[in-house]
Amino acid sequence: MRRGISEEDPNVAPLRDFIFPHPYSEAEKELQEAGLAHLLSFGKVKLGGVNVIGKGKSGVVALTEDLNVVKIRRSDSPKRCLKFEARMQERAIGVAPRVLNYGCHFILMEYIKGRELMRTEGIDVIIQVLRAGFSLDQLEIEHREITRPWGNVLIGDKRAFIIDFEDARPSPSPTNFVRLFSAFRRSLLNASLHNKYI
């Protein structure tokens, strides 16, 4: 069993297997120059013959051999480069996973051992998430995808982490805290209405 990994011991697979939907030389070259020739088949999302942690419209997220996480730009991504996203995530120090390295086609970051945010969280987790949103506001970063936070927040052992800075922008008056508060309020209201009519 590898350090901090709870699934079956993952298999090593060639980098090319993780470049989706088809490999392209610019990404392969940049990742190999960063020392990433192989990745681990690990996660709940199936991607051809390998498993990954996540797959979105602009990238695939996979586990590295030294147990960090890499986001690889999809070959069909509408974004031509991930550098701006990486810089926004770097700026979100203490709120987002730490960025270790990046290029146009990848962002290498620390692996957060945790779980996804659920709609039925206790008050202690809600407070952690709201604190993370407030911290982002203090750093003058508008996340822009936090209105529905269930896909953009990880709950670690001691705190919440905000992830996926794909659409984030600098802002002198961000609204992350307010958006998170509204999302939790809506979720709690919907749950109480649902329970009322069961």
Side-chain angles (χ1 to χ4, degrees), residues 8-47:
E8 258 180 53
D9 197 24
N11 298 316
V12 176
L15 171 65
R16 178 170 270 261
D17 292 355
F18 297 86
I19 302 176
F20 180 82
H22 51 79
Y24 60 107
S25 59
E26 298 95 331
E28 285 189 81
K29 184 180 176 199
E30 197 175 65
L31 285 154
Q32 285 169 351
E33 285 172 358
L36 299 169
H38 296 86
L39 298 173
L40 298 178
S41 178
F42 171 83
K44 295 178 182 174
V45 180
K46 196 79 177 155
L47 189 77

Side-chain angles (χ1 to χ4, degrees), residues 41-115:
S41 178
F42 171 83
K44 295 178 182 174
V45 180
K46 196 79 177 155
L47 189 77
V50 295
N51 285 38
V52 295
I53 294 168
K55 181 178 75 166
K57 65 180 186 268
S58 71
V60 168
V61 178
L63 193 65
T64 69
E65 289 184 274
D66 56 356
L67 303 185
N68 290 311
V69 168
V70 64
K71 178 174 182 175
I72 303 169
R73 191 181 79 83
R74 288 175 55 144
S75 57
D76 61 352
S77 170
K79 300 249 175 186
R80 297 190 61 80
C81 186
L82 298 179
K83 285 184 177 180
F84 186 79
E85 177 181 345
R87 288 181 192 126
M88 286 291 96
Q89 186 172 329
E90 264 187 327
R91 187 170 164 176
I93 191 160
V95 178
R98 190 167 44 95
V99 173
L100 306 170
N101 193 3
Y102 64 88
C104 254
H105 305 287
F106 78 98
I107 304 171
L108 182 66
M109 62 193 96
E110 70 176 322
Y111 172 66
I112 302 298
K113 189 174 185 292
R115 61 173 177 82

Side-chain angles (χ1 to χ4, degrees), residues 2 10 13 18 31 46 49 56 58 73 115-116 130 150 153-154 168 175 179 182:
R2 291 175 187 263
F18 297 86
L31 285 154
K46 196 79 177 155
S58 71
R73 191 181 79 83
R115 61 173 177 82
E116 291 181 355
L130 290 173
W150 293 274
V153 176
L154 288 177
T175 57
R179 287 173 189 259
S182 297

Side-chain angles (χ1 to χ4, degrees), residues 102-148:
Y102 64 88
C104 254
H105 305 287
F106 78 98
I107 304 171
L108 182 66
M109 62 193 96
E110 70 176 322
Y111 172 66
I112 302 298
K113 189 174 185 292
R115 61 173 177 82
E116 291 181 355
L117 180 68
M118 298 183 300
R119 291 181 185 271
T120 53
E121 295 287 0
I123 191 67
D124 55 332
V125 170
I126 291 172
I127 288 169
Q128 283 179 34
V129 176
L130 290 173
R131 278 189 182 137
F134 181 75
S135 295
L136 264 192
D137 287 349
Q138 298 289 74
L139 293 165
E140 297 189 340
I141 299 168
E142 185 70 75
H143 188 279
R144 294 171 38 153
E145 292 290 328
I146 214 82
T147 307
R148 290 180 297 280

